[in-house]
Amino acid sequence: MGARRRAVVVTHIRLRETSLVVREAVEQLRRAGFVVKVVDSLDPPRFGEPSPIVDSDTEIVVVLGGDGTILGAAELVHNTGVPILGVNLGHVGFLAEFESFQLSEAIARVADHDYSIDERNLASVCVTSPDGKATVNDWALNDIIIQQADRDHMIELSVGVDEVEASSFSCDGVIISTPTGSTAYAFSAGGPIIWPDVKALQLIPLAAHALFTRPMVISEHSRFSVDLIDDSLTDGWICCDGRRKMKLGYGTRTTVRLSQSTVRLASLSGVPFTNRLVTKFNLPSVSLRQRSRLEERRREHIIANENKGRNGEAENDREE
């Protein structure tokens, strides 16, 4: 008898208690021959500290929830090589491969090993103390946010690329995003969408009080540095993926580069990223002008049918 296959189902405690989808997923995985462990509470570790990870014999992690739950699950598979399959029970669910109504198909494909792997690069983060002697390291799949600690004041930051100061300004903070995170907070803040297979990082200032506040995109060979200026009116906070946080003191430097480490997402559909982009964001496939012309033709068609109907009724009246 072969070794038992093992899967971890990651969800939210509220969904585990209320959602039939979660119960059905666990039952279907068990029927497919998996030993299933359910994780419904994902408390983030402290910034710079390792998180608990899945057992080494875990075959796959199935996430039932939204993108936030997938980011939490990424901590469980960090540096393990275990793939994540996302089934969207949230809102946009950009990282999810399937919607909830496709659950049976997803699990059948997993049981048959019928999936490919989408490697998503992580960002490597290093926070250095003002004297340069102490460092704290972390990582991010989506983004790194540096913001003011005191909401009544703007934070003063100096942004550099490859040890060259590029700009400094007062702001609410900055977002440093991976391509994976470019469709999340970075997009809402005005950053460009970067295709997942592009090896790059972007930085977007938040409400910066300066003339030059455009997003910057750098290659995999470069790195961002963000210094919290000594005479800033407030100190700051850093947060990775909306989960792991740490306070930043005056004079600290945060360096971010693209890591060679990846998180492995199970891909079942083979659908290009562009298709997902159009579907998830409900993007218009026609221009406003084209849409107006199509609407006009639709109205003309309706009127023509109504006239045809009235003419037919009049013809019947004459025959009678």
Side-chain angles (χ1 to χ4, degrees):
M1 183 175 179
R4 299 295 300 273
R5 302 173 70 181
R6 298 186 183 277
V8 174
V9 171
V10 178
T11 188
H12 190 280
I13 189 169
R14 174 180 55 81
L15 290 174
R16 185 178 187 184
E17 293 173 347
T18 62
S19 175
L20 294 176
V21 176
V22 175
R23 299 174 203 169
E24 184 64 22
V26 172
E27 183 57 33
Q28 287 189 30
L29 283 167
R30 286 174 175 159
R31 287 201 298 266
F34 285 90
V35 175
V36 182
K37 177 181 179 181
V38 180
V39 177
D40 61 12
S41 180
L42 286 170
D43 294 328
R46 296 180 63 181
F47 187 95
E49 294 186 357
S51 59
I53 60 174
V54 296
D55 294 335
S56 59
D57 60 350
T58 302
E59 182 176 321
I60 196 163
V61 171
V62 178
V63 180
L64 305 173
D67 284 346
T69 309
I70 292 178
L71 292 174
E75 295 172 352
L76 296 179
V77 302
H78 185 228
N79 287 333
T80 67
V82 177
I84 294 174
L85 173 67
V87 178
N88 182 35
L89 300 185
H91 299 291
V92 178
F94 218 101
L95 294 174
E97 178 74 9
F98 273 87
E99 300 299 322
S100 58
F101 64 86
Q102 299 170 299
L103 177 67
S104 296
E105 178 188 353
I107 291 178
R109 297 275 297 277
V110 167
D112 292 338
H113 298 283
D114 183 17
Y115 58 88
S116 58
I117 295 296
D118 182 10
E119 302 271 1
R120 297 294 182 93
N121 281 97
L122 304 175
S124 177
V125 186
C126 179
V127 178
T128 306
S129 62
D131 60 10
K133 295 180 179 179
T135 59
V136 183
N137 297 297
D138 211 288
W139 57 275
L141 172 59
N142 251 18
D143 48 39
I144 302 98
I145 315 299
I146 297 173
Q147 288 185 296
Q148 77 271 53
D150 183 353
R151 295 294 179 179
D152 292 333
H153 296 96
M154 302 182 85
I155 192 171
E156 292 271 353
L157 299 176
S158 172
V159 174
V161 178
D162 297 335
E163 307 304 323
V164 177
E165 185 178 17
S167 187
S168 61
F169 38 69
S170 302
C171 59
D172 286 345
V174 295
I175 305 167
I176 301 176
S177 163
T178 67
T180 298
S182 69
T183 54
Y185 190 10
F187 176 76
S188 300
I193 294 173
I194 302 175
W195 263 236
D197 58 349
V198 176
K199 294 185 180 298
L201 289 172
Q202 65 169 320
L203 182 146
I204 302 101
L206 295 172
H209 190 70
L211 290 176
F212 178 75
T213 58
R214 302 296 186 187
M216 288 191 289
V217 179
I218 60 173
S219 78
E220 61 179 314
H221 305 297
S222 292
R223 57 184 178 180
F224 285 118
S225 60
V226 181
D227 294 327
L228 203 167
I229 297 174
D230 288 331
D231 59 357
S232 174
L233 294 177
T234 176
D235 51 5
W237 283 92
I238 184 171
C239 182
C240 291
D241 286 339
R243 293 180 53 80
R244 303 176 301 280
K245 304 176 183 179
M246 183 177 74
K247 195 167 184 178
L248 295 177
Y250 298 101
T252 55
R253 165 170 288 195
T254 301
T255 304
V256 183
R257 59 178 176 81
L258 200 66
S259 174
Q260 295 302 310
S261 299
T262 63
V263 163
R264 309 177 81 216
L265 301 182
S267 177
L268 307 180
S269 62
V271 173
F273 176 74
T274 310
N275 294 57
R276 179 172 294 188
L277 188 69
V278 170
T279 302
K280 294 292 187 179
F281 282 164
N282 194 25
L283 298 179
S285 56
V286 296
S287 68
L288 292 177
R289 193 172 184 179
Q290 289 175 306
R291 190 183 298 275
S292 177
R293 284 200 297 265
L294 290 172
E295 181 62 25
E296 184 177 348
R297 290 171 187 168
R298 188 183 69 85
R299 289 196 298 267
E300 291 173 351
H301 183 69
I302 292 173
I303 293 171
N305 286 339
E306 289 176 349
N307 290 337
K308 184 178 179 181
R310 285 195 292 268
N311 291 337
E313 291 173 1
E315 186 67 28
N316 290 336
D317 290 343
R318 285 195 292 272
E319 290 177 355
E320 292 175 356

